[in-house]
Amino acid sequence: DAGVIQSPRHEVTEMGQEVTLRCKPISGHNSLFWYRQTMMRGLELLIYFNNNVPIDDSGMPEDRFSAKMPNASFSTLKIQPSEPRDSAVYFCASRSTGVSFNQPQHFGDGTRLSIL
Amino acid sequence: DQQVKQNSPSLSVQEGRISILNCDYTNSMFDYFLWYKKYPAEGPTFLISISSIKDKNEDGRFTVFLNKSAKHLSLHIVPSQPGDSAVYFCAASVYNQGGKLIFGQGTELSVKP
């Protein structure tokens, strides 16, 4: 089975540019999560969706960050305009609530973002 | 405010011996706990979990223990193997918060041959 697929794996861009990160969750999973990993703050949740609907975006750092999930198989995280402090590894994860609400999340391999 | 804490940034163990990774939490509402393993340049991989109604869960070489009164959980790996060398993250969630995970800072385990 294909896991969570993220693209691109690496992104280097200049400050002020728009950045779009993409995620394809595992087929059949109905929850999707975006995380950011930095040395200072570790792994922190930015936003999550249930059945394509944003549920909690309290972790989104600023209005420059936005996320969408137009359908069950695709999500984007956009940063506009980007700043050097946005440099981090961004992970997408998905899970299925299935018969139990306690189900583990499965992570993609991340996008390493560098803003110059 | 760090709700999930892994106080040891690193741990070194000899192959064949037991590895014990520790995690403390402050939020008594947490009722589901997970351990993830992460290799460089890869995403975290789910390892094992435990619900708050249990105090132990075992899967092969991996056992997670939960002490709710102490707000403490630990992951035991027996016997440790060089391939277990990775960063281990403890995570916690509250049942009615949609699976939102709060992660610890991670512990880097090194298993030496």
Side-chain angles (χ1 to χ4, degrees):
Chain A
D1 287 340
V4 175
I5 299 172
Q6 292 186 246
S7 64
R9 288 298 313 274
H10 303 274
E11 173 92 11
V12 181
T13 192
E14 291 190 349
M15 182 174 111
Q17 297 297 306
E18 178 179 290
V19 173
T20 300
L21 311 182
R22 296 172 175 79
C23 176
K24 178 178 168 56
I26 293 173
S27 178
H29 282 191
N30 58 336
S31 294
L32 183 139
F33 304 79
W34 282 101
Y35 291 87
R36 178 171 69 174
Q37 184 182 29
T38 60
M39 289 294 293
M40 290 295 294
R41 300 177 65 87
L43 260 170
E44 53 179 346
L45 178 69
L46 300 178
I47 185 171
Y48 77 92
F49 297 81
N50 276 347
N51 298 315
N52 313 339
V53 177
I55 302 299
D56 184 346
D57 65 354
S58 60
M60 296 285 260
E62 302 172 34
D63 290 346
R64 298 185 296 106
F65 285 70
S66 63
K68 292 183 179 179
M69 192 163 186
N71 57 62
S73 58
F74 183 65
S75 177
T76 59
L77 178 67
K78 189 171 291 188
I79 309 172
Q80 166 64 13
S82 57
E83 296 183 5
R85 60 195 167 118
D86 302 331
S87 298
V89 181
Y90 291 80
F91 289 103
C92 176
S94 70
R95 73 167 198 160
S96 172
T97 49
V99 295
S100 166
F101 213 72
N102 281 340
Q103 293 290 326
Q105 296 175 23
H106 299 270
F107 283 75
D109 284 337
T111 295
R112 181 172 293 277
L113 177 63
S114 297
I115 308 298
L116 307 176
Chain B
D1 178 27
Q2 193 82 13
Q3 296 187 66
V4 179
K5 298 179 185 179
Q6 294 176 257
N7 292 319
S8 299
S10 63
L11 175 68
S12 184
V13 170
Q14 207 68 31
E15 181 180 5
R17 305 296 291 268
I18 185 171
S19 295
I20 300 176
L21 297 101
N22 294 303
C23 178
D24 297 295
Y25 61 95
T26 57
N27 188 345
S28 57
M29 297 298 291
F30 288 144
D31 54 13
Y32 183 52
F33 304 88
L34 308 90
W35 285 94
Y36 282 83
K37 178 167 82 170
K38 185 182 181 306
Y39 293 120
E42 295 184 10
T45 302
F46 170 69
L47 200 53
I48 192 169
S49 64
I50 188 166
S51 165
S52 61
I53 61 173
K54 296 186 175 180
D55 53 21
K56 176 183 174 182
N57 189 26
E58 196 171 348
D59 183 1
R61 296 185 298 114
F62 302 92
T63 303
V64 56
F65 295 92
L66 175 62
N67 182 334
K68 287 186 289 294
S69 60
K71 294 191 179 68
H72 177 84
L73 65 155
S74 60
L75 175 68
H76 292 210
I77 307 174
V78 183
S80 301
Q81 299 172 354
D84 296 330
S85 297
V87 177
Y88 288 78
F89 290 96
C90 166
S93 70
V94 178
Y95 181 85
N96 64 357
Q97 289 189 1
K100 178 177 172 177
L101 291 179
I102 307 299
F103 281 87
Q105 292 288 88
T107 297
E108 184 171 9
L109 174 66
S110 175
V111 180
K112 301 190 182 308

